[in-house]
Amino acid sequence: MADALVVLPGDSVDASYLPTAQKRKIGLGIKQEFQSNDFTSTVAGRVEVDHRKKSAHISTPNARYIAKAGDSVICQVRGASYETFHLYINAYSPQAILSHFSFEGASKKTRPQLKTGDVVYAKIASAQKNMDIELTCVNPSTGKADGLGPLNEGMIFDVSLELADRMLKKQLAPVMEELGNKIPGGFEIVVGKNGKVWVDCADAGAKGIIAVGRILQKLDEDVMQEKEQKKFVNRIIKEMG
Amino acid sequence: MTQVSPQIQLHNLSSSDGSASYISPCSLQRIIAGVNYPLEVSYRSKEVPDDTYIEVNLRPHNAVAGVKEHHVEEVVRRVLKSMIRGEETPRTMLQCTLQVMEVENDESLPGGVKGGGQGESYLEMLCGGLNAAILGCLDAGVQMRTVAGAVLVAVSKSRETNIWPSLKERKMAKSLHVFAYGRNAEMLLCESEGEFIMDEWERAAMLAKRAVLGTDDAGQDGDVEMAGEDDGRCLMSEIRDAVQARVVRDGMGGDQ
């Protein structure tokens, strides 16, 4: 595992550390000095380099989710109008709209029936200043849902954006796998970039859901190595009975 | 004189974008900063077309902000403005709220004098407030040109320069100075109060520089050396450690 390089604003980031391809993407927090090959960081955080995508940026732990096109979020239906549902992403974002037709196989005759309070996993189609956020539950090129859509049953947990990000990058896959093997019948999990996690256990029921929730909470609060994480999973499972 | 280094903790408020608590050494002053960024500008007239509008609010430990606090707010705002890359997020606002949580209480003085009163120097509040504000900005992921640290220096009647003076030392001092240095040893702020001569000022500035950056010639390449024998750790390496602790959450960091 690569050593994490943590920088402060003004630190020079060595050019040899960054991808060298012509079409590289140097993102947030790394600035090239005027007429030189040197790079300087502008924010405090960890330098993340992805050689496969030829991209580099500095990741800072965010506290507030700002809606961005392309993110998958978990949101709640707050109302419906003639052609759209109105959804809530978080307290800071403007309301999001989701057309009745942006679901897999939706047509004028077969519309999804969503009530106020229902939870939906959706992708942000567009997010611009002073405008409603547009959501979609369907991949426009294939017309397939790709896992998006209403989330029935289950429970939502609030986690930090950092943890949600780590889960989306599959950094916590080993713990989740371990947990899945231990809970009878396994569990389903959906991670929204807005710091919401939906969990459902078809077989273990509420007990299983709460076990997952407790582990999420613990992962968020404490700094743990993989071994400790697995140990904690075992403890929770034992307590679950 | 024993030297203690300041205590820094990042992100101790859950609902602001960035926050930090700063406990200054010796004087037991504790300040919490909450930074929200980027925000919509509250009044349209404050919107700057090509820059970020910075708002600083300072609350003392026992009252509402008065003239002194408003002055400190303005000074902190100006220093932040020189450090932050406001052009990256034009037409937005950076809101920095500073709350003094505790001030030093010296029982040995007649009546048990507390620091931070209205009639007293604003410099200690400025020093702590500026450090807390900068740390809050770091935690909030604000784009900045540099990182800076501020230090309070007192010059006593016997012309001795004391860094991080206690309440008693501050009361007895002939002059008080606050210096803020950026990482490339550039002076971003110097505020002085009292009577002093150029030589004293220069010595105080030198001492402050060493407290912020470690060695006198700490350069651009980041890694700041440990300070001299009895100086404890320098402010810059404390800041770096705090950020490190905040960013690297578990062994699973880095690219996979």
Side-chain angles (χ1 to χ4, degrees):
Chain A
M1 201 169 297
D3 222 14
L5 176 66
V6 176
V7 290
L8 290 181
D11 277 352
S12 61
V13 180
D14 202 39
S16 65
Y17 199 78
L18 302 173
T20 45
Q22 273 280 300
K23 281 187 180 166
R24 64 184 173 183
K25 289 172 221 133
I26 305 291
L28 173 82
I30 307 178
K31 259 210 142 40
Q32 189 159 19
E33 293 291 318
F34 182 61
Q35 288 190 338
S36 106
N37 278 326
D38 296 336
F39 289 88
T40 321
S41 67
T42 59
V43 297
R46 195 172 56 212
V47 183
E48 305 239 354
V49 181
D50 191 331
H51 285 286
R52 228 173 332 124
K53 286 186 192 158
K54 301 188 187 77
S55 69
H57 72 280
I58 295 176
S59 74
T60 61
N62 280 323
R64 175 169 56 132
Y65 176 73
I66 298 173
K68 203 162 86 247
D71 286 353
S72 300
V73 293
I74 293 176
C75 39
Q76 192 181 36
V77 178
R78 286 283 164 97
S81 61
Y82 180 62
E83 273 201 333
T84 54
F85 295 113
H86 298 276
L87 293 101
Y88 167 90
I89 297 177
N90 63 14
Y92 325 105
S93 314
Q95 73 168 351
I97 50 172
L98 174 61
S99 162
H100 287 184
F101 303 113
S102 8
F103 288 88
E104 184 180 321
S107 67
K108 276 235 153 118
K109 278 182 190 157
T110 55
R111 293 173 181 221
Q113 299 293 317
L114 293 178
K115 296 185 302 296
T116 308
D118 280 359
V119 175
V120 178
Y121 189 46
K123 199 168 220 129
I124 297 178
S126 88
Q128 272 164 31
K129 206 181 165 186
N130 302 328
M131 280 175 75
D132 285 347
I133 295 168
E134 272 176 55
L135 298 171
T136 174
C137 279
V138 72
N139 184 340
S141 54
T142 59
K144 288 272 187 294
D146 286 348
L148 301 171
L151 299 170
N152 302 315
E153 312 281 315
M155 211 166 139
I156 302 259
F157 293 97
D158 281 313
V159 298
S160 69
L161 297 190
E162 208 186 330
L163 183 72
D165 237 28
R166 265 159 60 195
M167 290 174 82
L168 286 169
K169 283 184 192 153
K170 295 186 182 151
Q171 286 179 2
L172 297 173
V175 201
M176 290 296 142
E177 244 163 57
E178 176 94 0
L179 191 57
N181 293 336
K182 293 275 163 67
I183 293 178
F187 67 96
E188 271 188 277
I189 190 162
V190 171
V191 182
K193 250 200 148 170
N194 56 341
K196 308 255 185 247
V197 177
W198 174 88
V199 179
D200 190 22
C201 297
D203 294 350
K207 263 188 183 172
I209 295 174
I210 288 166
V212 180
R214 283 184 64 189
I215 283 157
L216 290 176
Q217 206 175 20
K218 182 81 175 171
L219 287 172
D220 220 355
E221 281 167 4
D222 290 0
V223 178
M224 284 198 289
Q225 300 298 327
E226 207 173 308
K227 249 189 204 149
E228 293 169 68
Q229 291 173 349
K230 289 199 170 153
K231 222 186 222 169
F232 187 73
V233 167
N234 286 331
R235 218 185 82 203
I236 293 282
I237 297 293
K238 231 178 244 164
E239 283 173 18
M240 184 182 127
Chain B
M1 194 174 95
T2 50
Q3 278 288 348
V4 214
S5 35
Q7 287 170 44
I8 296 168
Q9 205 187 4
L10 291 185
H11 209 78
N12 34 22
L13 304 177
S14 59
S15 45
S16 56
D17 294 345
S19 53
S21 83
Y22 170 86
I23 306 177
S24 68
C26 297
S27 65
L28 283 175
Q29 177 198 37
R30 186 157 69 94
I31 296 188
I32 288 189
V35 174
N36 285 308
Y37 165 88
L39 290 178
E40 294 271 316
V41 184
S42 49
Y43 296 104
R44 200 62 194 275
S45 56
K46 287 182 179 171
E47 198 176 89
V48 191
D50 59 352
D51 207 349
T52 303
Y53 174 72
I54 301 170
E55 181 184 284
V56 179
N57 299 303
L58 172 66
R59 295 264 306 190
H61 67 291
N62 57 357
V64 289
V67 175
K68 188 170 102 171
E69 284 75 26
H70 288 309
H71 177 60
V72 173
E73 281 170 6
E74 182 56 26
V75 178
V76 171
R77 198 186 70 78
R78 281 198 302 235
V79 177
L80 285 184
K81 197 169 166 53
S82 70
M83 293 172 61
I84 283 162
R85 282 184 192 267
E87 69 275 13
E88 298 285 345
T89 50
R91 296 188 291 136
T92 58
M93 173 168 79
L94 183 146
Q95 186 182 50
C96 175
T97 310
L98 303 165
Q99 170 74 57
V100 182
M101 303 298 288
E102 266 174 79
V103 291
E104 186 184 10
N105 193 356
D106 194 339
E107 293 292 343
S108 70
L109 293 169
V113 179
K114 262 195 157 181
Q118 268 305 329
E120 285 160 52
S121 167
Y122 67 96
L123 291 176
E124 54 176 288
M125 197 186 268
L126 172 63
C127 175
L130 184 58
N131 279 331
I134 291 168
L135 289 163
C137 287
L138 281 180
D139 188 46
V142 179
Q143 301 217 37
M144 296 202 273
R145 291 187 179 82
T146 182
V147 189
V151 170
L152 181 65
V153 184
V155 181
S156 70
K157 291 209 171 71
S158 53
R159 302 191 56 203
E160 265 176 62
T161 43
N162 286 329
I163 204 147
W164 306 121
S166 67
L167 179 58
K168 205 170 175 182
E169 283 170 317
R170 292 203 294 273
K171 289 254 179 236
M172 307 291 280
K174 217 171 88 193
S175 64
L176 280 171
H177 310 263
V178 169
F179 297 99
Y181 280 97
R183 48 177 311 145
N184 300 331
E186 69 274 31
M187 192 189 281
L188 293 172
L189 169 78
C190 99
E191 292 268 320
S192 303
E193 212 175 67
E195 257 176 60
F196 54 91
I197 56 173
M198 202 56 204
D199 174 52
E200 288 167 357
W201 184 88
E202 270 168 2
R203 266 195 297 141
M206 191 61 91
L207 200 62
K209 195 196 229 170
R210 208 177 306 147
V212 174
L213 297 167
T215 50
D216 292 334
D217 47 17
Q220 182 157 5
D221 17 284
D223 283 332
V224 188
E225 304 297 316
M226 293 278 283
E229 310 83 59
D230 59 342
D231 280 359
R233 305 208 47 214
C234 71
L235 197 50
M236 212 52 100
S237 52
E238 287 290 337
I239 293 175
R240 193 171 282 276
D241 285 355
V243 170
Q244 190 105 25
R246 166 86 181 105
V247 171
V248 183
R249 290 282 297 184
D250 53 16
M252 317 195 75
D255 31 3
Q256 297 213 325

